[in-house]
Amino acid sequence: MAANMRGLTQFIADIRGARVRELEEKRINKEMANIRKKFKDGNLDGYQKKKYVAKIIFTYILGYKVDVGHMEAVNLISSTKYSEKQIGYLAVTLLMHENSDFLRLVVNSIRKDLDENNEVNNCLALHAIANVGSSEMAEALLEDVHRLLISPTSQTFVKKKAALTLLRLYRKHPEVIPAAEWALRLVSIMDDQDLGVVICVTSLVMALAQDHLDAYAVCYTKAVDRLYRLVIQHEYPATYAYYKVPSPWLQVKLLRLLQYYPPTDDATLRNALHEVLQMIMNNSAEPSRNVQHNNAQHAVLFEAIGLAIHLDTNSPLVDTAAVLLARFISSKETNVRYLGLDTMAHLAARADSLAPLKKHQGTIILSLRDKDISVRRRALDLLYSMCDVDNSELIVGELLRYLKVADYALREEMVLKIAILTEKYASSYKWYVDTILQLISAAGDHVGDEVWYRVVQIITNTEDLQEYAARVVFEHLKAPAAHESLVKVGGYILGEYGHLIANEPGYSPIEQFQALHSKSQFCPAATRSLLLSTYIKWVNVFPEIKPQLINIFERYRHVLDAELQQRACEFYALACRPDDDEMLQNVCEEMPPFPPRVSGLMSRLNRKLGDTEDKRTWIHGGKEMNLERQLTKRKATKGAAGPVNGSAPASGTAETEGVINSLAGLDLSAPSHPPESEAVPRLNGGPSIDKWLNKLTYSVEGVLYEDVQIQIGIKSRYQGHLGQLAIYFGNKVSAPLTSFTSTIYVNDPEALSATFAKIPPNVLAPRTQSQQILHVECKKVFTSVPILTVSFLAGAHQSISIRLPITITKFFEGVKFGQADFFERWKLIGGPPRESQSVFPISLDSTGHIDIGRNRQVIFGNHLEILEEVDSNSSNIVGAGILHTSVDGKVGCLLRLEPNREAKLCRITVRSTSEDVAGEVRKLVENVLKAES
């Protein structure tokens, strides 16, 4: 570029030739003055504007302030020449921030470039939006960027840039993107033939799905299908094989995306995923000599292990993963050790048993002394997660020893984790007190207020611990140096419980006073204020040292600190009252137990760690903490922690509490929010659709849906509580239907399950038909039929949602009864609520008679046995059947249909041992006869 502009080339050469900064500044100031004069005079052609704006950009890159050229840059964007347009966009991107008023002037020019059929201009405009992208610009140009992404005529590299631009805008201004509305259309692009487009769109879907799980649920099937084709079927261009690993970046993204969703109940998807994960682990069993190949393979492997842990910690895959991880944490490569420890922490956070990890406890402890701080941090996280009652003393002891030599960046986090583990897994109160006081002594300034607040709370609430705590804290205070946090704990505990040890040799009141007061001169005013409260307590219980204490109050009455002075004056007045005055005793009564409540340590740790761009699917701290974390997402966490072993995250609510409130006994329960339910698909309606559905409720095959593009047909068979549907999709047009997706929505999965036998193909060729087998199982009585949603690309994105004819009567089996048996059972079941009855209008056949043949066909089609000679009226129909369910067993059902020719009405009565079955059967038969009447 500079080679074509001699003035720019000379300017850059002069700058580089300047020996000192003063000469450089002089040359730049001269050039800027010349540029201002040229811009002021006007009449510049496009080449001159481009040259001068390029000089301004170079000056800006050198770090000098620039206040000219903005308007010229805006004008250059409107140029028809690529070189001028490029410089204009570069200047706008570098010189203007997102709140600049000049950006409003370029919005129309950017929109024009987006609308052009010129991919180079499209890309320049997308770069500018992604790099500057203010909220106002995002709102104005969002639809244009989205259109470029979904347009079938867009070049692949334009689609990639459009997807990444939308991702950038979503991260900066999430409220602007209609994520749920675009869900199906964006997910459909994951089937694009170009893997580069798929990678970029998957990055976008990952970001959107984290905040809109239900709307993007269909991406789960897409991700599994793409992984299966990459890993098992090897469907990928050779250009996307990185050192023989098929598109590792895409594999990693898809494996991460699957971890955002709960494990699927679909057996087909589970089996496909298991096959994929098994293949990935088998491929990584033996390390390669090629470093790049190893890096790519390990990147995929660690994400695959994370997904295997997420799906089922008891599967054989996780056992294989544990063996691989043991090898990785001893690797010579720092990156591999880091990832091995991090993934092992994930396993520890989810596994039912920590036995496989404990085998390598020694290696993990040695990692605390690794030369790389990031590895040391991961080792700390892993030890924290794998700690339990059996190994708590060993791990806490090792962490305490390491604390003294640990990096300062790690110490605060280590203190919190040691305090949490000590409290949670304390085998005895004495061990808890010894460990915490040792922690406070060793950690010093890295001990947060939450730690000693919690110690005080537990000691106050545990009467058996108070004497021992007073003795131990006194021994710590006798050391030559004691940290401020230890002095605070000592002041509180000795003030409250020092009298419990005062009669023992070496623990007399004067010795307690001397040990504590000798440390006060090195403490700030807040700590000395606490010590004054300790001294007034001692005035009440240790009259023998009252003169020394009054002397201290007298001295502090004249200090400059207002808080200290006020306390000293008030305490001095109290201490000087007569000995028989009850006020001092009332004021200095022993502290009552604190209300039991959740520890504030976990919330402090969670606040410190924060969150990453991709939301974590697990947290450090063992299976219990992860289960509690999942519960807090669905409902409010309520309840209190025990004195020592009780500890819970409560991260969301505790954040709003001050650290002082951590002992206040406030109710930390969050308001209850019902979990978001999966959105019910919007049904396609129409008289033909209803007619086809009604017919299929009593037929085994037929058309379910048809339009100018697609035909959907059904063929079914049922046996007991199981059923199988063959669903036929016919493409009626001369172009392929791409990104073809079919999903089943079941309102109550506990009552009815419906899964496809295999992952459906994502392309339906022109003028062809494909078949998908759907397996269904009736577990309990259900009243809502499943919904089939079909989406595909045929120029535009099409989506069809229709009800499937899987009704409760499909799982009936007809039974034969004689007249006496039928009426006996009829009476035995009785009337309402086990009876459902209605009267509805019917029409007669062409001869004016009741269409008995049609009525019998409907009853028989609903799998009810028609009982002959039970009813004396030949027009009436009597039926009987048994519903088969896998969970609730069998349910009997009896039916009577009584049409009246003269009134053109029909009465239907259904009795069943289940009132839900009676109402549902009556409704199904009535809808068909009424609809076709």
Side-chain angles (χ1 to χ4, degrees), residues 292-483:
Q292 302 296 345
H293 175 76
N294 273 345
N295 287 343
Q297 211 162 46
H298 286 154
V300 176
L301 174 63
F302 284 115
E303 211 60 62
I305 293 174
L307 178 58
I309 294 168
H310 175 75
L311 294 175
D312 182 10
T313 54
N314 297 317
S315 71
L317 286 173
V318 176
D319 295 336
T320 306
V323 175
L324 290 171
L325 291 175
R327 190 180 79 201
F328 292 142
I329 63 174
S330 303
S331 172
K332 292 180 181 179
E333 292 185 41
T334 303
N335 289 342
V336 175
R337 289 199 305 277
Y338 174 93
L339 289 169
L341 290 167
D342 189 51
T343 310
M344 209 174 250
H346 185 189
L347 179 57
R350 291 281 177 82
D352 293 323
S353 171
L354 296 172
L357 301 180
K358 289 180 182 177
K359 295 177 185 176
H360 313 289
Q361 193 166 280
T363 307
I364 298 165
I365 289 173
L366 284 175
S367 299
L368 283 173
R369 289 166 174 78
D370 194 276
K371 60 184 179 182
D372 191 289
I373 187 172
S374 59
V375 174
R376 296 197 291 272
R377 191 181 291 278
R378 292 288 79 82
L380 170 62
D381 291 338
L382 176 51
L383 287 171
Y384 173 67
S385 294
M386 65 184 282
C387 187
D388 61 13
V389 177
D390 298 327
N391 62 4
S392 58
E393 293 192 19
L394 174 64
I395 288 180
V396 170
E398 190 61 43
L399 291 178
L400 276 173
R401 280 191 293 276
Y402 175 62
L403 180 64
K404 297 171 184 175
V405 296
D407 304 80
Y408 284 99
L410 282 177
R411 288 194 182 183
E412 185 178 354
E413 184 182 335
M414 282 191 72
V415 168
L416 285 170
K417 289 184 173 178
I418 292 171
I420 290 168
L421 295 178
T422 307
E423 177 182 339
K424 189 173 183 181
Y425 299 113
S427 54
S428 69
Y429 287 126
K430 291 183 179 180
W431 179 77
Y432 172 77
V433 170
D434 291 340
T435 305
I436 287 292
L437 292 180
Q438 187 182 346
L439 172 65
I440 293 173
S441 300
D445 292 334
H446 301 282
V447 177
D449 287 338
E450 292 90 346
V451 176
W452 78 267
Y453 289 169
R454 189 62 174 166
V455 176
V456 164
Q457 178 185 346
I458 290 170
I459 292 173
T460 303
N461 289 12
T462 313
E463 191 174 343
D464 297 340
L465 186 58
Q466 292 162 0
E467 182 180 340
Y468 180 77
R471 190 180 297 110
V472 173
V473 79
F474 177 71
E475 294 296 336
H476 278 275
L477 287 172
K478 287 202 299 188
H483 190 266

Side-chain angles (χ1 to χ4, degrees), residues 678-739:
E678 186 179 347
V680 180
R682 290 185 62 182
L683 292 169
N684 290 62
S688 297
I689 295 175
D690 293 338
K691 182 180 178 181
W692 290 325
L693 177 68
N694 285 331
K695 185 174 181 181
L696 281 169
T697 58
Y698 62 89
S699 306
V700 294
E701 60 181 69
V703 174
L704 180 63
Y705 177 85
E706 186 171 9
D707 60 21
V708 294
Q709 293 176 316
I710 192 171
Q711 183 188 61
I712 304 174
I714 296 283
K715 188 179 285 186
S716 61
R717 62 178 182 181
Y718 293 86
Q719 181 68 43
H721 63 275
L722 299 175
Q724 186 182 79
L725 276 79
I727 306 177
Y728 297 91
F729 300 98
N731 181 0
K732 297 172 64 177
V733 296
S734 57
L737 303 181
T738 58
S739 190

Side-chain angles (χ1 to χ4, degrees), residues 768-826:
T768 59
Q769 187 181 72
S770 73
Q771 172 188 295
Q772 291 183 32
I773 302 298
L774 184 70
H775 295 294
V776 292
E777 178 185 2
C778 178
K779 301 175 183 177
K780 300 178 181 177
V781 176
F782 64 93
T783 55
S784 299
V785 299
I787 297 173
L788 170 68
T789 299
V790 178
S791 62
F792 53 88
L793 289 176
H797 185 261
Q798 309 284 332
S799 182
I800 301 164
S801 292
I802 46 178
R803 289 171 293 176
L804 284 173
I806 303 174
T807 59
I808 195 73
T809 56
K810 297 292 185 181
F811 302 95
F812 272 40
E813 180 186 2
V815 289
K816 291 186 177 181
F817 288 128
Q819 186 179 36
D821 289 339
F822 175 83
F823 284 110
E824 181 183 348
R825 284 174 169 77
W826 184 265

Side-chain angles (χ1 to χ4, degrees), residues 82 85-86 89 113 119-129:
Y82 169 74
K85 188 184 289 287
Q86 183 192 31
Y89 271 116
D113 287 336
E119 58 270 14
V120 175
N121 291 353
N122 294 161
C123 291
L124 286 174
L126 290 171
H127 287 169
I129 297 169

Side-chain angles (χ1 to χ4, degrees), residues 467 470-471 474 494 497-512 538 541-544:
E467 182 180 340
R471 190 180 297 110
F474 177 71
L494 291 178
Y497 312 114
H499 63 279
L500 299 176
I501 60 171
N503 295 327
E504 299 179 19
Y507 300 100
S508 64
I510 189 64
E511 289 174 299
Q512 292 185 37
W538 280 349
V541 295
F542 298 148
E544 58 267 40

